[in-house]
Amino acid sequence: MKYVCPTCGYVYDPKEGDPDSGIAPGTSFEDIPDDWSCPLCGVSKDEFEQEES
């Protein structure tokens, strides 16, 4: 599963993680800290929408 920011379209792909924010590749979306936010626009994690990969 991938997760998409509804505001800017950033896609969180667990295979890639978010290394710039300290999220290692292979980290599932559920395992990201709750205070993580979109690295492009700052939308909170709970606003991301699940997308079939």
Side-chain angles (χ1 to χ4, degrees):
M1 291 286 181
K2 294 181 182 178
Y3 295 82
V4 180
C5 175
T7 301
C8 73
Y10 170 82
V11 176
Y12 178 78
D13 183 344
K15 293 177 191 170
E16 296 177 16
D18 180 15
D20 292 340
S21 298
I23 308 299
T27 302
S28 70
F29 192 76
E30 294 78 15
D31 290 338
I32 296 173
D34 290 337
D35 63 352
W36 178 84
S37 59
C38 177
L40 299 182
C41 72
V43 164
S44 64
K45 175 185 171 184
D46 63 354
E47 293 185 45
F48 272 65
E49 298 170 350
Q50 197 170 355
E51 176 183 81
E52 296 289 331
S53 49

Coordinates of all heavy atoms in Angstrom, one line a residue:
M1 N 0.8 -1.2 0.0 CA 0.0 0.0 0.0 C 0.9 1.2 0.0 O 1.9 1.3 0.6 CB -0.9 0.0 1.2 CG -1.9 -1.0 1.3 SD -3.2 -0.6 0.2 CE -4.3 -1.9 0.4
K2 N 0.4 2.2 -0.7 CA 1.0 3.6 -0.7 C 0.0 4.5 -0.1 O -1.1 4.3 0.0 CB 1.4 4.0 -2.1 CG 2.5 3.1 -2.7 CD 2.8 3.6 -4.1 CE 3.9 2.7 -4.7 NZ 4.2 3.1 -6.1
Y3 N 0.6 5.6 0.4 CA -0.3 6.6 1.1 C 0.0 8.0 0.5 O 1.1 8.4 0.2 CB 0.0 6.6 2.6 CG -0.4 5.3 3.2 CD1 0.5 4.2 3.2 CD2 -1.6 5.2 3.8 CE1 0.1 3.0 3.7 CE2 -2.0 4.0 4.4 CZ -1.1 2.9 4.3 OH -1.5 1.7 4.9
V4 N -1.1 8.7 0.1 CA -1.0 9.9 -0.6 C -1.5 11.1 0.2 O -2.6 11.1 0.9 CB -1.9 9.8 -1.9 CG1 -1.8 11.1 -2.7 CG2 -1.5 8.6 -2.7
C5 N -0.7 12.2 0.1 CA -1.1 13.4 0.8 C -2.3 14.1 0.0 O -2.1 14.3 -1.2 CB 0.1 14.4 0.9 SG -0.4 16.0 1.5
P6 N -3.4 14.3 0.6 CA -4.5 14.9 -0.2 C -4.3 16.4 -0.6 O -5.0 16.9 -1.5 CB -5.7 14.8 0.8 CG -5.1 14.8 2.1 CD -3.8 14.1 2.0
T7 N -3.4 17.0 0.0 CA -3.1 18.4 -0.3 C -2.2 18.6 -1.4 O -2.4 19.4 -2.4 CB -2.6 19.2 1.0 OG1 -3.5 19.0 2.0 CG2 -2.3 20.6 0.7
C8 N -1.0 17.9 -1.4 CA 0.0 18.2 -2.4 C 0.3 17.0 -3.3 O 1.0 17.1 -4.3 CB 1.3 18.7 -1.8 SG 2.2 17.4 -0.9
G9 N -0.2 15.8 -3.0 CA 0.0 14.6 -3.8 C 1.2 13.8 -3.5 O 1.5 12.9 -4.2
Y10 N 2.0 14.2 -2.5 CA 3.2 13.4 -2.1 C 2.7 12.0 -1.8 O 1.7 11.8 -1.1 CB 3.8 14.1 -0.8 CG 4.9 13.2 -0.2 CD1 6.2 13.2 -0.7 CD2 4.6 12.4 0.9 CE1 7.2 12.4 -0.2 CE2 5.6 11.6 1.4 CZ 6.9 11.6 0.9 OH 7.9 10.8 1.5
V11 N 3.5 11.1 -2.3 CA 3.2 9.6 -2.1 C 4.2 9.0 -1.1 O 5.4 9.1 -1.4 CB 3.2 8.9 -3.4 CG1 3.0 7.4 -3.1 CG2 2.2 9.4 -4.3
Y12 N 3.8 8.5 0.0 CA 4.6 7.7 0.9 C 4.6 6.3 0.5 O 3.6 5.6 0.5 CB 4.2 7.8 2.4 CG 5.1 7.0 3.2 CD1 6.4 7.4 3.6 CD2 4.8 5.7 3.6 CE1 7.2 6.6 4.3 CE2 5.6 4.9 4.4 CZ 6.9 5.4 4.7 OH 7.7 4.6 5.4
D13 N 5.8 5.8 0.0 CA 5.9 4.4 -0.4 C 6.8 3.7 0.7 O 7.9 4.1 0.9 CB 6.6 4.4 -1.7 CG 6.7 2.9 -2.3 OD1 6.6 2.0 -1.5 OD2 7.0 2.8 -3.5
P14 N 6.2 2.7 1.4 CA 7.0 2.0 2.4 C 8.3 1.4 1.9 O 9.2 1.4 2.7 CB 6.0 0.9 2.9 CG 4.7 1.4 2.5 CD 4.8 2.2 1.3
K15 N 8.4 1.1 0.7 CA 9.6 0.5 0.1 C 10.7 1.6 0.1 O 11.9 1.2 0.3 CB 9.4 0.0 -1.3 CG 8.5 -1.2 -1.4 CD 8.3 -1.5 -2.9 CE 7.2 -2.6 -3.0 NZ 6.8 -2.7 -4.4
E16 N 10.4 2.8 0.0 CA 11.3 3.9 -0.1 C 11.5 4.6 1.3 O 12.6 5.2 1.5 CB 10.9 4.9 -1.1 CG 10.9 4.4 -2.5 CD 10.4 5.4 -3.6 OE1 10.4 6.6 -3.3 OE2 10.1 4.9 -4.7
G17 N 10.5 4.6 2.1 CA 10.5 5.3 3.4 C 10.6 6.8 3.1 O 10.2 7.3 2.1
D18 N 11.1 7.6 4.1 CA 11.3 9.0 4.0 C 12.6 9.3 4.7 O 12.6 9.8 5.8 CB 10.1 9.8 4.6 CG 10.3 11.3 4.5 OD1 11.2 11.8 3.8 OD2 9.6 12.0 5.3
P19 N 13.8 8.9 4.1 CA 15.1 9.0 4.8 C 15.4 10.5 5.2 O 16.0 10.6 6.3 CB 16.1 8.6 3.7 CG 15.3 7.7 2.7 CD 13.9 8.3 2.8
D20 N 14.9 11.5 4.5 CA 15.2 12.9 4.9 C 14.5 13.2 6.3 O 14.9 14.1 7.0 CB 14.7 13.8 3.9 CG 15.5 13.8 2.6 OD1 16.7 13.2 2.6 OD2 15.0 14.2 1.5
S21 N 13.5 12.4 6.6 CA 12.8 12.6 7.9 C 13.1 11.6 8.9 O 12.5 11.4 9.9 CB 11.3 12.7 7.7 OG 10.9 13.7 6.8
G22 N 14.1 10.7 8.6 CA 14.5 9.7 9.5 C 13.7 8.4 9.4 O 13.8 7.6 10.3
I23 N 12.9 8.2 8.4 CA 12.1 7.0 8.2 C 12.8 6.1 7.2 O 12.9 6.4 6.1 CB 10.6 7.4 7.7 CG1 10.0 8.5 8.5 CG2 9.8 6.1 7.6 CD1 9.8 8.2 10.0
A24 N 13.2 5.0 7.7 CA 14.0 4.1 6.9 C 13.2 3.4 5.9 O 12.0 3.1 6.1 CB 14.7 3.0 7.8
P25 N 13.8 3.0 4.7 CA 13.1 2.2 3.7 C 12.6 0.9 4.4 O 13.3 0.4 5.2 CB 14.2 1.9 2.7 CG 15.1 3.1 2.8 CD 15.2 3.4 4.3
G26 N 11.4 0.5 4.0 CA 10.8 -0.7 4.6 C 10.0 -0.4 5.8 O 9.4 -1.4 6.3
T27 N 9.8 0.8 6.2 CA 9.0 1.2 7.3 C 7.5 1.3 6.9 O 7.2 2.1 6.0 CB 9.4 2.5 7.9 OG1 10.8 2.4 8.3 CG2 8.6 2.9 9.1
S28 N 6.6 0.5 7.5 CA 5.2 0.6 7.1 C 4.6 1.9 7.6 O 5.1 2.5 8.5 CB 4.5 -0.6 7.7 OG 4.3 -0.5 9.1
F29 N 3.6 2.3 6.9 CA 3.0 3.6 7.3 C 2.5 3.6 8.7 O 2.6 4.6 9.4 CB 1.8 3.9 6.3 CG 1.3 5.3 6.4 CD1 1.9 6.4 5.9 CD2 0.1 5.6 7.1 CE1 1.5 7.7 6.0 CE2 -0.4 6.8 7.2 CZ 0.3 7.9 6.6
E30 N 2.0 2.5 9.2 CA 1.5 2.3 10.5 C 2.6 2.5 11.6 O 2.3 2.9 12.7 CB 0.8 1.0 10.7 CG -0.5 0.8 9.9 CD -0.2 0.5 8.5 OE1 0.9 0.1 8.1 OE2 -1.2 0.6 7.7
D31 N 3.8 2.2 11.2 CA 5.0 2.3 12.1 C 5.6 3.7 12.1 O 6.6 3.9 12.9 CB 6.0 1.2 11.8 CG 5.5 -0.2 12.1 OD1 4.6 -0.3 12.9 OD2 6.1 -1.1 11.5
I32 N 5.2 4.6 11.3 CA 5.7 5.9 11.3 C 5.2 6.6 12.6 O 4.0 6.5 12.9 CB 5.3 6.7 10.1 CG1 5.9 6.1 8.8 CG2 5.7 8.2 10.2 CD1 5.4 6.7 7.5
P33 N 6.0 7.4 13.3 CA 5.5 8.1 14.4 C 4.3 9.0 14.1 O 4.2 9.5 13.0 CB 6.7 9.0 14.9 CG 7.9 8.3 14.3 CD 7.4 7.6 13.0
D34 N 3.4 9.1 15.0 CA 2.1 9.9 14.8 C 2.4 11.3 14.5 O 1.6 12.0 13.9 CB 1.2 9.7 16.0 CG 0.6 8.3 16.1 OD1 0.6 7.6 15.0 OD2 0.1 7.9 17.1
D35 N 3.6 11.9 15.0 CA 3.8 13.3 14.8 C 4.5 13.6 13.4 O 4.8 14.7 13.1 CB 4.6 13.9 15.9 CG 6.0 13.2 16.1 OD1 6.3 12.2 15.4 OD2 6.8 13.7 16.9
W36 N 4.7 12.5 12.6 CA 5.3 12.7 11.3 C 4.3 13.5 10.4 O 3.1 13.3 10.6 CB 5.6 11.3 10.6 CG 6.1 11.4 9.2 CD1 7.4 11.5 8.9 CD2 5.4 11.2 8.0 NE1 7.6 11.5 7.5 CE2 6.3 11.3 7.0 CE3 4.1 11.0 7.7 CZ2 5.9 11.2 5.6 CZ3 3.7 10.9 6.4 CH2 4.6 11.0 5.4
S37 N 4.8 14.3 9.5 CA 3.9 15.0 8.6 C 4.5 15.0 7.2 O 5.7 14.6 7.0 CB 3.7 16.4 9.1 OG 5.0 17.1 9.2
C38 N 3.7 15.4 6.2 CA 4.1 15.4 4.9 C 5.4 16.2 4.7 O 5.4 17.4 5.2 CB 3.0 16.0 4.0 SG 3.5 16.1 2.2
P39 N 6.5 15.7 4.1 CA 7.7 16.4 4.0 C 7.6 17.6 3.0 O 8.5 18.5 3.0 CB 8.7 15.4 3.5 CG 7.9 14.3 2.9 CD 6.6 14.3 3.6
L40 N 6.6 17.6 2.2 CA 6.5 18.7 1.2 C 5.6 19.9 1.7 O 5.9 21.0 1.5 CB 5.9 18.2 -0.1 CG 6.8 17.2 -0.8 CD1 6.1 16.8 -2.1 CD2 8.2 17.6 -1.0
C41 N 4.5 19.5 2.4 CA 3.5 20.6 2.7 C 3.1 20.6 4.2 O 2.4 21.5 4.6 CB 2.3 20.5 1.9 SG 1.2 19.1 2.2
G42 N 3.5 19.6 5.0 CA 3.3 19.6 6.4 C 2.0 19.1 6.9 O 1.6 19.1 8.1
V43 N 1.2 18.5 6.0 CA -0.1 17.9 6.4 C 0.2 16.7 7.3 O 1.1 16.0 7.2 CB -0.9 17.4 5.1 CG1 -2.0 16.4 5.5 CG2 -1.4 18.5 4.4
S44 N -0.6 16.6 8.4 CA -0.4 15.5 9.4 C -0.7 14.1 8.8 O -1.4 13.9 7.8 CB -1.3 15.8 10.6 OG -2.6 15.7 10.3
K45 N 0.0 13.2 9.4 CA -0.1 11.8 9.0 C -1.5 11.3 8.9 O -1.9 10.5 8.0 CB 0.7 10.9 10.0 CG 0.6 9.4 9.7 CD 1.3 8.6 10.8 CE 1.0 7.1 10.6 NZ 1.6 6.4 11.7
D46 N -2.4 11.7 9.8 CA -3.7 11.1 9.9 C -4.6 11.6 8.7 O -5.7 11.1 8.5 CB -4.4 11.4 11.2 CG -4.6 12.9 11.6 OD1 -4.1 13.7 10.8 OD2 -5.2 13.2 12.6
E47 N -4.1 12.6 7.9 CA -4.9 13.0 6.8 C -4.5 12.3 5.5 O -5.2 12.5 4.5 CB -4.7 14.6 6.6 CG -5.3 15.4 7.7 CD -5.3 16.8 7.5 OE1 -5.6 17.3 6.4 OE2 -4.9 17.6 8.4
F48 N -3.5 11.5 5.5 CA -3.1 10.8 4.3 C -4.1 9.8 3.9 O -4.8 9.2 4.8 CB -1.7 10.1 4.6 CG -0.5 10.9 4.2 CD1 -0.3 12.1 5.0 CD2 0.3 10.6 3.2 CE1 0.8 12.9 4.7 CE2 1.5 11.4 2.9 CZ 1.7 12.5 3.6
E49 N -4.2 9.5 2.6 CA -5.2 8.6 2.1 C -4.5 7.3 1.6 O -3.5 7.5 0.9 CB -6.1 9.2 1.0 CG -6.8 10.5 1.6 CD -7.5 11.3 0.5 OE1 -7.2 11.1 -0.7 OE2 -8.2 12.2 0.8
Q50 N -5.1 6.2 1.9 CA -4.5 4.9 1.4 C -4.8 4.7 0.0 O -5.8 5.1 -0.5 CB -5.1 3.8 2.2 CG -4.4 2.5 2.2 CD -5.0 1.5 3.2 OE1 -5.9 1.8 4.0 NE2 -4.5 0.3 3.1
E51 N -3.8 4.2 -0.8 CA -3.9 4.0 -2.2 C -3.4 2.6 -2.5 O -2.4 2.2 -2.0 CB -3.1 5.0 -2.9 CG -3.1 4.8 -4.4 CD -2.1 5.8 -5.1 OE1 -0.9 5.6 -5.1 OE2 -2.6 6.9 -5.6
E52 N -4.1 1.8 -3.3 CA -3.6 0.5 -3.7 C -2.4 0.7 -4.6 O -2.3 1.6 -5.4 CB -4.7 -0.2 -4.6 CG -6.0 -0.5 -3.8 CD -5.8 -1.6 -2.8 OE1 -4.9 -2.5 -3.0 OE2 -6.5 -1.6 -1.8
S53 N -1.3 -0.1 -4.3 CA -0.1 0.0 -5.1 C -0.1 -0.9 -6.3 O -0.9 -1.7 -6.4 CB 1.1 -0.2 -4.2 OG 1.0 -1.3 -3.4

